[in-house]
Each structure stands twice: as structure tokens, then as C-alpha cells.
Amino acid sequence: MVREKVRISTRTLQWKCIESTNNSKRLYYGRFILSPLMKGQADTIGIAMRRALLGEIEGTCITRAKSENIAHEFSTRAGIQESVHEILMNLKEIVLRSNLYGTRDASICVKGPGYVTAQDIILPPSVEIIDNTQHIATLTEPIDLCIELQIERNHGYRKKQPNNIQDGSYPIDAVFMPVRNANHSVHSYGNGNEKQEILFLEIWTDGSLTPKEALHEASRNLINLFIPFLHAEEENCHLENNQDKVTLPLFTFQNRLVKLKKNQKERALKSIFIDQSDLTPKIYNCLKRSNIHTLLDLLNKSQEDLMKIEDFRIEDVKHILDILEIENLQLIYQRIHFKSI
């Protein structure tokens, strides 16, 4: 086990491994820190890194097994201590490391009596077994056990389909995730506006990758996700001479308001505040700054009035129209009115 003291740095942003252990061939642990960060940044990075560690890193595992003379998955065979289901579960636990793409074939061919372990698997050149002692089956009689295997590299988790049995081969739950668990925690220090944060990141792997390798790969995957934004060309949002101006019908909602006023009291509209609608934070803040607090205030505005609001765009006007259609304004109004009677 390697453990180092945590030293708070006030210089440039830097990361460091402060603890590293390998309890077994199939369990590695690493603890890392990143500092100094401004308030809120540690959670932003920690949440993204945890998702990338658990869901974006590729791993290799056995996804299918086939053997002769097997009636069904829960059957047993004379001379083998384990049932077929138990053998499949043991194959699921085997940890592999590879850089292959697509699927590859492997096999087991053993004569009993004796123990069948991971070292008995005949693998393609690009695949290696992390722990050769992993148990597969126990042969109690001098019989031959031959199993054809399918190996695949992917990411995430894929649950087997019960009806996905092909020519006597059985699917296996595929756990492609080399990172078994990941946690993050935040330590704050400093006072007032000078407050800074340290991000602590804990990573457990199955041995096919070290925590440091997993951290590097997850970081690269996150960077690749954001690269398209770096190359995106900025769109010209300023319309010249109003040539491309998008026009909408007059945004007074007067027709809707007239229909509501026929049988309802206008005072009820004053009881519906704009924060009761699913407006975006930007639209809500713009309306509040313009003293538009209730639905009645909003309905009395025209499209031109709204477009005069600072930072307000034609897309925001469309959004307000969509929200009012979805919420069914008249039903909401009637419900509030009848409660007030």
C-alpha cells in the first residue's frame, strides 16, 4: 500500500495519487486529489468523472458459452459437480484484459477428474487473463469437458436475454466495466470569497486496469466528448437590416383572454404567478425584471413589448406560447376560479 500526505497547494491546478493498494489480482484501489479548485468546481468534475469511469471505459469479458449435450441452462451433467448455470456464473466472473475490437472465439477442453480454472481457457493472442486461479468447474469423473466461448470488448453492462439461445449456446450477463466503483468527496478550505476546494476521487478496479489507467482513460473520453464544441463555428446571431427576421402572430393572447373573460372573473388570473409555469430560468428572470409577475401581466403584453425586454429573443416568445398550450391555460384558470367561489 502506498499512502502520501495531502498538501494543499495554492499554485496551479494539479492532481496527485495519495493512496494505492492491490488487495488481490482482481481488486485495485486508488485515491486521487485535484486542487486547488474554486467553489463548486469539485462537484462538477467529480460527478462527470464518476459517470465516465463507470460508463465510458471499455472492458473485455465472456459473453456466450456453448457445450454439447446440454438440455437447458439449469441442467446438470454426470461427472461435473456444478450445474450449467453455476458454470456460466463462474465464467462471468473471469477478468480479461485486451485491446481487441469486435468478438473473438476462445475454448476450454479439459479431461477429468480435476479442477477447471481460468488457466485452462485457450485465448486469442490479444487477450490475457488477470487471475488464472479463477474457478470454473470441478470434474469428479474421467470425462471430457469442452466449452466454446465468445469474448467481446465493449462498455457498460449488458443483461442477457432469456430467449437468446442459439444452437445450444447460452448468453452470459456482460459486465464490461473494469471500474467496479467510484466515489468523490469535496474538502473546502479558506475563508469568505477566498474559499477553495479539494476534490478527492476514489476508484476501485477489477485488475484489468489500474485506477491510474482508468482515470487517464476516463479523462480522455470526456475530452473527446467536448472536442466537437471546440471546433464548432460561431453562428452569426445578429440579423442585418431585419431581412431574416422571424415574425409571429401578435403576442397579445387577447383572443384567449376574451374567451376566458366570458365566463370567468379576471381576478383569478392575478393568482397565477409565472413561477408556476415551466419557464426556463432565463425567461423567468427577464419577465421578473420587467415587472411581469402574474399570468395576467403576461397576457396583457404584446410581442413587441416582450421583444423590448433586454436579452429576450424570438425563441423565448415561442417557448412561452408552447408552455401555455401544454399547460392548458383555460383549465388551470377554471380550477383556480372554482376554488375561490
Side-chain angles (χ1 to χ4, degrees), residues 260-274:
L260 289 171
K261 287 181 177 179
K262 285 182 179 179
N263 300 315
Q264 312 293 347
K265 297 179 181 179
E266 184 176 304
R267 63 183 177 82
L269 293 173
K270 298 179 180 180
S271 302
I272 306 177
F273 293 88
I274 59 174

Side-chain angles (χ1 to χ4, degrees), residues 194-213:
E194 300 297 326
K195 210 165 192 179
Q196 293 180 316
E197 296 178 341
I198 301 177
L199 171 65
F200 288 82
L201 191 62
E202 297 179 285
I203 303 172
W204 291 263
T205 70
D206 63 3
S208 61
L209 287 179
T210 65
K212 184 177 179 180
E213 289 173 333

